[in-house]
């Protein structure tokens, strides 16, 4: 049983619960959070907080719920730095680059795949992420998808099968046979290893019929559904997400008003991936239009070697504010509670009694600084399930006070 932990003298606490505090972020001043057995047991004035085994003194700074990164692809080997350089010199992004990561991933051992994924997850944690989703999708054979999912389950909270990422080169002349493989043998092997199925429904990936077949087969297996949709071109992805009642449609750079209305009506979360837009010089998703239509918005890193090689939620929060039309409040909400909703998780993304004890202490007086001071390390201490998971020096189970600033 983990010892109890109190985070005290919080200058600004973001609870994400408007009944607990001010505004949509539920802000409380001079607050404390106490966690016992990994679960939050107290949120309220610092001076009335119950005692705990360990105390983290926030020294009047800001505490936010841990980020929920609901869309990453961290199970892979190799990199694509050359492709990035070429793109910055003017070449545009195409899905063909995925083949190069598929080749290096297939050639890597299970141990290397897991070590690579773990390194990226640790990097994410050090920047305030406490819940992370990750996908297969660089194996594209039954065995390589299955072992990618096993690696994912070792290091991530939520695991997604993405056999329908692209058609691998060996099936280029027979797409139909690859879709058959995905909905047949691959899904049989992979469904027990995942909670979700994702499909890349876009130009250069899968069309409407192919995507619908994969989604229907995955639903049949009991998997939750999510899509990569309308990233590279206008298309049927968003409508398909609505039709299938997917938890989330991700990217959404090319939407028309009907697509937005369909997402709103079906209650599909719109997950923005502005890191991909940054690194591919693409048009940014119009988060403002989605919010105005009443769509729930999430922000994720989309960490992958092709389009968005970042694990930093603070970075994508800054981009969402700068380029997707979100206010700092909306962006922080999208990166925490929005991500939780995209994963249909009720236990994370908020700091309220009964939720998981996941939070980040910022070296800043306010959550606004996440966007206002881009590229600066502002995440000082990260707590997950009531345990300090960053920085490493504080990870020990010391029962005394852990000061984090003056
Ligand atoms: O989310 N859009 C599809 N998949 C990834 C890119 C994969 C790659 O280029 O390796 C993405 O951007
Ligand atoms: Fe992605």
């Amino acid at each position: 049983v983990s010892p109890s932990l109190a985070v005290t003298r919080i200058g600004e606490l973001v609870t994400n619960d408007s009944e607990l505090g001010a505004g949509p972020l539920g802000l409380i001043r001079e607050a404390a959070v106490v966690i016992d057995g990994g679960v939050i047991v107290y949120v309220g004035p610092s001076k009335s907080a119950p005692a705990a085994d360990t105390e983290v003194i926030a020294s009047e700074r800001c505490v936010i719920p841990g980020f929920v990164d609901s869309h990453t692809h961290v199970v892979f080997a190799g990199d694509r730095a050359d492709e990035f350089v070429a793109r910055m010199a003017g070449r545009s992004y195409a899905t063909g680059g995925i083949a190069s990561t598929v080749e290096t991933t297939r050639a890597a051992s299970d141990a290397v795949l897991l070590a690579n994924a773990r390194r990226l997850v640790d990097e994410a944690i050090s920047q305030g992420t406490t819940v992370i989703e990750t996908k297969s999708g660089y194996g594209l054979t039954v065995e390589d998808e299955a072992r990618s999912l096993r690696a994912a389950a070792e290091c991530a909270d939520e695991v997604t099968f993405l056999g329908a990422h692209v058609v691998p080169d060996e099936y280029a002349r027979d797409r139909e046979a690859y879709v058959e493989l995905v909905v047949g043998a691959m899904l049989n092997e992979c469904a027990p290893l995942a909670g979700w199925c994702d499909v890349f429904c876009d130009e250069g990936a899968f069309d409407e019929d192919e995507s619908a077949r994969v989604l229907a087969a995955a639903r049949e297996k009991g998997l939750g559904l999510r899509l990569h949709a309308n990233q590279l071109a206008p298309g049927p992805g968003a409508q398909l997400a609505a039709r299938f009642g997917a938890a989330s449609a991700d990217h959404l750079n090319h939407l028309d008003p009907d697509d937005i209305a369909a997402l709103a009506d079906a209650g599909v979360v719109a997950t923005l991936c502005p890191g991909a837009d940054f690194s591919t010089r693409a048009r940014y998703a119009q988060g403002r239009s989605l919010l105005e239509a009443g769509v729930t918005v999430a922000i994720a890193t989309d960490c992958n070697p092709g389009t968005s090689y970042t694990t930093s939620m603070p970075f994508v929060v800054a981009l969402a504010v700068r380029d997707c039309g979100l206010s700092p409040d909306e962006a922080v909400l999208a990166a925490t509670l929005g991500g939780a909703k995209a994963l249909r998780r009720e236990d994370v993304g908020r700091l309220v009694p009964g939720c998981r004890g996941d939070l980040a202490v910022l070296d800043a007086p306010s959550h606004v600084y996440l966007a206002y001071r881009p590229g600066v390390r502002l995440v000082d201490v990260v707590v997950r399930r009531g345990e300090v998971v960053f920085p490493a020096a504080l990870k020990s189970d010391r029962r005394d006070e852990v000061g984090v600033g003056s």
Side-chain angles (χ1 to χ4, degrees):
V1 178
S2 51
S4 57
L5 178 114
V7 183
T8 59
R9 288 183 50 203
I10 300 167
E12 180 195 82
L13 176 66
V14 175
T15 66
N16 284 347
D17 185 333
S18 54
E19 287 178 10
L20 271 184
L25 292 184
L27 299 179
I28 310 180
R29 307 257 160 219
E30 292 309 318
V33 176
V34 182
I35 303 163
D36 199 354
V39 173
I40 298 172
V41 294
Y42 175 87
V43 176
S46 194
K47 47 184 188 320
S48 1
D53 298 320
T54 304
E55 183 176 8
V56 172
I57 302 167
S59 309
E60 309 314 320
R61 294 175 305 163
C62 177
V63 168
I64 61 169
F67 292 118
V68 179
D69 191 351
S70 61
H71 178 153
T72 81
H73 310 240
V74 298
V75 182
F76 66 87
D79 76 14
R80 281 154 53 201
D82 294 346
E83 182 187 316
F84 175 77
V85 171
R87 229 167 28 233
M88 293 303 106
R91 193 196 298 169
S92 60
Y93 174 76
T95 56
I98 294 172
S100 118
T101 303
V102 169
E103 195 181 318
T104 44
T105 300
R106 286 176 179 175
S109 67
D110 292 359
V112 165
L113 285 186
L114 179 56
N116 287 354
R118 274 228 167 96
R119 182 180 60 80
L120 292 169
V121 170
D122 286 347
E123 199 179 271
I125 290 169
S126 78
Q127 300 182 78
T129 298
T130 52
V131 176
I132 193 164
E133 178 271 5
T134 202
K135 309 173 199 303
S136 65
Y138 292 115
L140 310 185
T141 66
V142 174
E143 188 41 37
D144 289 307
E145 284 296 297
R147 69 195 189 92
S148 297
L149 292 171
R150 282 186 212 105
E154 291 274 321
C155 62
D157 303 82
E158 298 279 339
V159 175
T160 303
F161 167 59
L162 181 58
H165 196 183
V166 288
V167 173
D169 286 348
E170 65 274 20
Y171 282 92
R173 283 153 205 271
D174 195 357
R175 303 178 57 83
E176 168 65 19
Y178 185 68
V179 176
E180 280 294 319
L181 177 69
V182 172
V183 302
M186 200 182 275
L187 203 48
N188 275 336
E189 184 81 11
C190 291
L193 305 171
W196 299 96
C197 178
D198 191 343
V199 175
F200 187 9
C201 178
D202 218 319
E203 200 171 85
F206 293 89
D207 69 18
E208 182 170 7
D209 290 348
E210 294 164 341
S211 301
R213 282 180 63 193
V214 175
L215 294 168
R219 184 164 61 186
E220 199 67 25
K221 292 278 187 194
L223 295 179
L225 305 179
R226 39 207 327 106
L227 280 89
H228 281 72
N230 303 62
Q231 176 188 7
L232 305 173
Q239 302 273 354
L240 211 52
R243 171 143 63 89
F244 275 87
S248 179
D250 301 17
H251 288 285
L252 304 176
N253 304 71
H254 299 269
L255 294 180
D256 65 31
D258 287 350
D259 296 330
I260 295 177
L263 293 171
D265 287 347
V268 178
V269 175
T271 301
L272 313 181
C273 302
D277 311 333
F278 178 88
S279 295
T280 60
R281 275 202 224 283
R283 60 187 278 179
Y284 285 87
Q286 292 312 298
R288 184 87 253 131
S289 315
L290 288 159
L291 286 170
E292 276 164 11
V295 178
T296 297
V297 170
I299 311 172
T301 63
D302 190 22
C303 180
N304 77 79
T307 62
S308 187
Y309 202 2
T310 181
T311 52
S312 172
M313 289 296 285
F315 175 60
V316 295
V317 163
L319 292 180
V321 171
R322 169 65 174 74
D323 292 303
C324 302
L326 271 59
S327 69
D329 284 16
E330 289 164 343
V332 170
L333 192 68
T336 51
L337 189 59
K341 288 180 175 167
L343 294 169
R344 296 199 169 148
R345 294 276 299 253
E346 299 273 342
D347 60 328
V348 294
R350 296 175 297 156
L351 294 177
V352 304
C355 281
R356 212 165 94 168
D358 289 4
L359 57 82
V361 182
L362 303 183
D363 189 8
S366 141
H367 64 282
V368 173
Y369 275 49
L370 289 164
Y372 175 44
R373 304 206 64 214
V376 176
R377 167 167 279 295
L378 294 179
V379 174
D380 225 17
V381 178
V382 182
V383 171
R384 186 172 179 277
R385 295 184 193 275
E387 281 179 43
V388 176
V389 290
F390 178 83
L394 298 186
K395 267 184 179 171
S396 66
D397 58 352
R398 290 166 50 182
R399 301 279 198 280
D400 54 350
E401 289 192 356
V402 180
V404 289
S406 51

